Amino acid sequence: DMAVRHYTLDFNLSTAVDSAAIVPSLLSIFHEQELAETIHDTNGHGYLATFVGKNGRLVILRVHAHGLVTIDLQCYEEDNISQLPALVRGATVDRYWPTADGRLMEYDIDEVVYEKDSAYQNIKIMHSKQYGNILVLDGDVNLAESDIAYTRAITGNGKESYAGKEVLILGGGDGGILAELVKQKPKMIIMVEISFSGFNGCKMHMRKTCGNTLDTLRGDCYQILIEDCVPLLRKYVQEGRTFDYVINDLTAIPISTEPEDSMWEFLRLILDLSMCVLDPKGKYFTQGNSVNMTEALSLYEEQLGKLSCPVDFRKEVVCVPSYLEQWVFYTAWKK
Amino acid sequence: DMAVRHYTLDFNLSTAVDSAAIVPSLLSIFHEQELAETIHDTNGHGYLATFVGKNGRLVILRVHAHGLVTIDLQCYEEDNISQLPALVRGATVDRYWPTADGRLMEYDIDEVVYEKDSAYQNIKIMHSKQYGNILVLDGDVNLAESDIAYTRAITGNGKESYAGKEVLILGGGDGGILAELVKQKPKMIIMVEISFSGFNGCKMHMRKTCGNTLDTLRGDCYQILIEDCVPLLRKYVQEGRTFDYVINDLTAIPISTEPEDSMWEFLRLILDLSMCVLDPKGKYFTQGNSVNMTEALSLYEEQLGKLSCPVDFRKEVVCVPSYLEQWVFYTAWKK
């Protein structure tokens, strides 16, 4: 394993630092390790020295003018100089997948079990010891086999009865929603996905999520359509077809806060068309985004107030295990 | 804000690298930034150069012999060169709290609201945007105001009826278990904590967790004892006093896999005494550890088989929001 371990160790000195006083004692540590030392000219930005060892070890010692001391150790073998776990760099399996609100998270991923570039996105399925297989689309953690909480939240948290109902699922290609709802014997579920890609990966590697529902495009009470949902929704509007539930599992709401962004236009279009095909007593369920993305969530709620058909909504914050952040889900209905 | 942002950027070249070929194009990027360059002798461990800028910026470029290229950028201002969020180093509030299984996690912590060193441990309460206040004991995330899932799990997940029952809580100083159980009108809850420290912090800053239960040491149906639980348990054994429920919230099971470790001895002692005061039809609840700490969990289960009174047990894996890892809880009862 030639991955590089990168340890960081930081400490703050309470008073502004006299490098001349602190540096010699720190240097003595590194001198013992037979490291070659270079002292750099920092133009008055504190003290900076690098140490290079024979075994490829690199130490960077900085004493910043305001009292912060940072030490970096990069080495090939496991070591343990820091309170913080090492950053593992250049490993064959990437363990770092940031949250939607941009925080660094290290997953316990040990294997990439599936990878494919479709016309629409990069599809990865990775194995986590604690979450089972995780579907990652374009670098975003989408759903893990542990995440029944996601499926429950986007189907109304067990408070709805789907028996005998007409349901439309937009997206949902991992099969999680479909697998849960068919158990309740709805009259018919139409699920519309834009592409076959992803199906195969999920069908093979996310069976705890999709069960056997993706093995066939037509079941007792469901049908999977492989097409763009927008023309389909327009057709349903023209035909006057309605659904008791519309579940939008297409994507998280955009994190862009520019309402003119094409992602927001697409979102409004889907919302408007969905409300047109929703029974007057029906419910629309969708995911939002990280609870910390407050601006994006507010903007989404503004859009809900601008639809051609007036709607009310409520939201709920849910812990989806593999997300490592709290996630907002919305329920909307016609006023 | 003088915190240092530390960005990392890594890429793997498919074939072993000829530094002479790749380095000049990379160097040209840094030359444009007016950085002073030092090339280091690595004794055959690839190529290493450091670049120091006038504004305190430091770039480390390494081309490792096996094809990995790592670039580090350390700077004072926000920047965005990497797909990974920057490590923030030397900030006044520490955002990095590793999981029990040693993974790096960045929390959305924006403030330390309470800190105290007691005779037994360091007590911190920190504010997270999404989890509310978080109690951190000796650097371990203990409980956040969002973590009702923890309290539910360690009290039997809503499947128990505590009305009219006798309950013993070992630890539980954050008041979460107490606050939930008093709602059910038990006959009497005895909660035993070794020290007052922590109470004050939780009483002030964890009110979503403890409600008003910590405001007084004696309520309608509960009593809080500030003492070591071992002599108390021994006294109860002598008196023949029994409880319908014993809830051990003292600490996670040790991660050490040395069964002779004093932590394990303490754990066995508590287990044995707890079983002695448990009603024959009673239940013992406790937390275990991260689901990934498989050796420590196995060792714990071995201990359960070695008690003076034979017990059966079951375990459950629960998602506690602020833990950022799946957590094991145990229920044990007399055979």
Side-chain angles (χ1 to χ4, degrees):
Chain A
D1 181 4
M2 290 300 277
V4 177
R5 272 80 185 177
H6 184 144
Y7 295 91
T8 63
L9 184 64
D10 305 325
F11 49 100
N12 267 297
L13 300 170
S14 47
T15 53
V17 179
D18 178 9
S19 305
I22 189 170
V23 164
S25 60
L26 289 168
L27 287 188
S28 64
I29 301 167
F30 303 119
H31 286 157
E32 284 167 22
Q33 318 265 327
E34 296 184 47
L35 297 157
E37 171 186 342
T38 312
I39 296 172
H40 301 266
D41 176 10
T42 63
N43 284 287
H45 283 83
Y47 175 86
L48 169 61
T50 52
F51 304 83
V52 181
K54 286 182 182 162
N55 47 4
R57 195 174 277 208
L58 168 66
V59 178
I60 302 131
L61 167 64
R62 291 187 85 175
V63 185
H64 300 264
H66 57 286
L68 173 66
V69 179
T70 63
I71 299 173
D72 290 80
L73 167 64
Q74 296 183 15
C75 56
Y76 292 115
E77 70 282 21
E78 289 275 6
D79 215 320
N80 213 343
I81 62 143
S82 166
Q83 293 169 288
L84 279 190
L87 273 179
V88 181
R89 302 174 64 177
T92 45
V93 177
D94 197 356
R95 296 164 64 87
Y96 302 96
W97 297 94
T99 55
D101 70 331
R103 286 174 294 117
L104 186 63
M105 293 291 176
E106 180 181 354
Y107 283 81
D108 58 346
I109 290 170
D110 50 17
E111 195 190 349
V112 177
V113 295
Y114 181 88
E115 179 157 18
K116 194 177 163 66
D117 281 299
S118 83
Y120 301 95
Q121 56 200 346
N122 172 272
I123 301 155
K124 271 197 197 74
I125 299 177
M126 300 189 294
H127 180 258
S128 148
K129 280 180 247 173
Q130 64 189 296
Y131 301 125
N133 285 337
I134 308 181
L135 176 66
V136 177
L137 299 177
D138 284 341
D140 282 333
V141 171
N142 220 256
L143 195 81
E145 289 182 300
S146 59
D147 295 346
I148 186 71
Y150 179 97
T151 305
R152 280 181 52 83
I154 204 166
T155 56
N157 269 317
K159 290 172 203 145
E160 307 296 326
S161 166
Y162 287 89
K165 299 290 171 60
E166 301 260 13
V167 184
L168 178 63
I169 303 173
L170 309 177
D174 52 62
I177 298 170
L178 188 58
E180 279 307 299
L181 295 190
V182 294
K183 294 177 189 167
Q184 293 198 37
K185 307 279 177 210
K187 185 173 171 194
M188 178 51 70
I189 304 172
I190 305 286
M191 171 170 141
V192 52
E193 255 294 348
I194 199 158
S195 145
F196 264 114
S197 309
F199 272 2
N200 282 329
C202 292
K203 200 162 80 176
M204 283 187 289
H205 302 293
M206 302 278 290
R207 292 206 65 100
K208 265 191 205 161
T209 298
C210 63
N212 61 6
T213 54
L214 300 183
D215 294 349
T216 164
L217 291 182
R218 190 184 275 273
D220 272 354
C221 59
Y222 70 89
Q223 191 178 357
I224 301 173
L225 305 174
I226 307 297
E227 54 185 274
D228 185 346
C229 70
V230 173
L232 182 73
L233 281 164
R234 288 205 165 110
K235 193 189 78 169
Y236 287 156
V237 173
Q238 276 193 327
E239 293 172 0
R241 178 158 182 187
T242 60
F243 295 87
D244 300 298
Y245 294 98
V246 177
I247 301 173
N248 179 347
D249 190 32
L250 287 172
T251 180
I253 66 167
I255 57 173
S256 149
T257 52
E258 301 302 324
E260 299 321 311
D261 189 302
S262 64
M263 287 292 289
W264 283 102
E265 272 178 40
F266 176 70
L267 182 141
R268 278 193 301 268
L269 174 65
I270 298 284
L271 266 173
D272 253 332
L273 289 170
S274 295
M275 291 304 159
C276 286
V277 302
L278 191 64
D279 182 88
K281 292 184 177 167
K283 280 185 187 153
Y284 175 86
F285 292 118
T286 193
Q287 63 161 320
N289 207 306
S290 161
V291 72
N292 279 356
M293 303 303 284
T294 47
E295 281 186 60
L297 293 168
S298 297
L299 197 50
Y300 178 71
E301 292 167 23
E302 260 177 49
Q303 312 309 311
L304 287 173
K306 286 179 185 168
L307 302 182
S308 47
C309 160
V311 302
D312 267 334
F313 71 91
R314 64 166 172 265
K315 60 185 159 180
E316 192 176 13
V317 177
V318 173
C319 181
V320 179
S322 80
Y323 282 19
L324 306 184
E325 65 191 321
Q326 302 281 69
W327 209 253
V328 177
F329 289 82
Y330 287 95
T331 305
W333 59 92
K334 290 175 171 176
K335 267 185 187 165
Chain B
D1 180 2
M2 290 299 277
V4 177
R5 272 80 186 176
H6 184 143
Y7 294 91
T8 61
L9 184 65
D10 305 324
F11 47 101
N12 267 298
L13 301 171
S14 46
T15 52
V17 180
D18 177 9
S19 306
I22 190 172
V23 165
S25 60
L26 288 168
L27 288 187
S28 64
I29 301 168
F30 302 121
H31 288 158
E32 283 167 23
Q33 318 265 329
E34 296 183 48
L35 298 158
E37 173 185 341
T38 312
I39 296 171
H40 301 265
D41 177 10
T42 64
N43 284 286
H45 283 81
Y47 176 89
L48 169 61
T50 52
F51 304 83
V52 181
K54 287 183 180 161
N55 47 5
R57 195 174 278 207
L58 168 65
V59 178
I60 302 131
L61 168 65
R62 291 187 86 176
V63 185
H64 300 263
H66 57 286
L68 173 66
V69 180
T70 64
I71 300 173
D72 289 80
L73 167 64
Q74 296 185 14
C75 56
Y76 292 115
E77 72 281 22
E78 288 274 4
D79 214 320
N80 213 343
I81 61 141
S82 166
Q83 292 168 289
L84 278 190
L87 272 180
V88 180
R89 303 174 64 177
T92 44
V93 179
D94 197 355
R95 297 163 63 87
Y96 302 95
W97 297 93
T99 54
D101 70 332
R103 287 174 294 119
L104 186 63
M105 293 289 176
E106 180 181 354
Y107 282 81
D108 59 346
I109 289 169
D110 49 17
E111 195 190 346
V112 177
V113 296
Y114 181 87
E115 180 158 16
K116 192 175 165 67
D117 280 300
S118 84
Y120 301 95
Q121 54 199 350
N122 172 271
I123 301 155
K124 274 199 195 71
I125 299 177
M126 302 189 292
H127 180 258
S128 148
K129 281 181 245 172
Q130 64 191 297
Y131 301 125
N133 285 336
I134 307 180
L135 176 66
V136 177
L137 299 178
D138 284 341
D140 280 333
V141 171
N142 220 257
L143 195 82
E145 289 182 300
S146 58
D147 295 345
I148 185 71
Y150 178 96
T151 306
R152 280 181 54 82
I154 204 166
T155 56
N157 270 315
K159 288 172 205 146
E160 306 297 324
S161 166
Y162 286 89
K165 299 290 170 63
E166 301 261 14
V167 184
L168 177 63
I169 304 173
L170 308 177
D174 53 62
I177 297 169
L178 188 58
E180 280 307 300
L181 294 191
V182 294
K183 293 177 190 166
Q184 293 197 38
K185 308 276 179 218
K187 185 172 170 194
M188 178 50 71
I189 303 173
I190 305 287
M191 172 170 140
V192 53
E193 254 295 349
I194 199 158
S195 145
F196 264 115
S197 309
F199 272 2
N200 282 329
C202 293
K203 199 162 83 176
M204 284 188 289
H205 301 293
M206 301 279 291
R207 289 200 76 91
K208 265 191 205 159
T209 298
C210 62
N212 60 7
T213 53
L214 300 183
D215 295 350
T216 165
L217 291 183
R218 191 183 274 272
D220 272 354
C221 59
Y222 69 90
Q223 191 178 357
I224 301 173
L225 305 175
I226 307 296
E227 55 186 273
D228 185 344
C229 69
V230 174
L232 182 73
L233 280 165
R234 289 204 165 110
K235 192 188 78 169
Y236 288 156
V237 173
Q238 277 194 325
E239 293 172 359
R241 179 157 181 188
T242 61
F243 295 87
D244 301 297
Y245 294 99
V246 176
I247 301 173
N248 179 347
D249 191 32
L250 287 172
T251 181
I253 66 168
I255 56 173
S256 148
T257 52
E258 300 303 324
E260 299 322 310
D261 190 302
S262 64
M263 288 291 289
W264 283 104
E265 273 179 39
F266 177 69
L267 181 141
R268 277 193 301 268
L269 174 64
I270 298 286
L271 265 173
D272 253 332
L273 289 170
S274 294
M275 290 304 158
C276 287
V277 301
L278 190 65
D279 183 89
K281 292 184 177 170
K283 280 186 186 150
Y284 174 85
F285 293 119
T286 194
Q287 63 162 321
N289 207 305
S290 160
V291 72
N292 278 356
M293 304 303 282
T294 47
E295 282 187 58
L297 294 168
S298 297
L299 197 48
Y300 178 71
E301 291 166 24
E302 261 177 49
Q303 311 310 311
L304 287 173
K306 287 179 186 168
L307 302 182
S308 47
C309 160
V311 303
D312 268 333
F313 71 91
R314 63 166 172 263
K315 58 186 162 180
E316 191 176 14
V317 177
V318 173
C319 180
V320 178
S322 80
Y323 282 19
L324 306 183
E325 65 190 321
Q326 302 282 70
W327 209 253
V328 176
F329 289 82
Y330 287 95
T331 306
W333 59 92
K334 290 177 171 174
K335 267 184 190 167

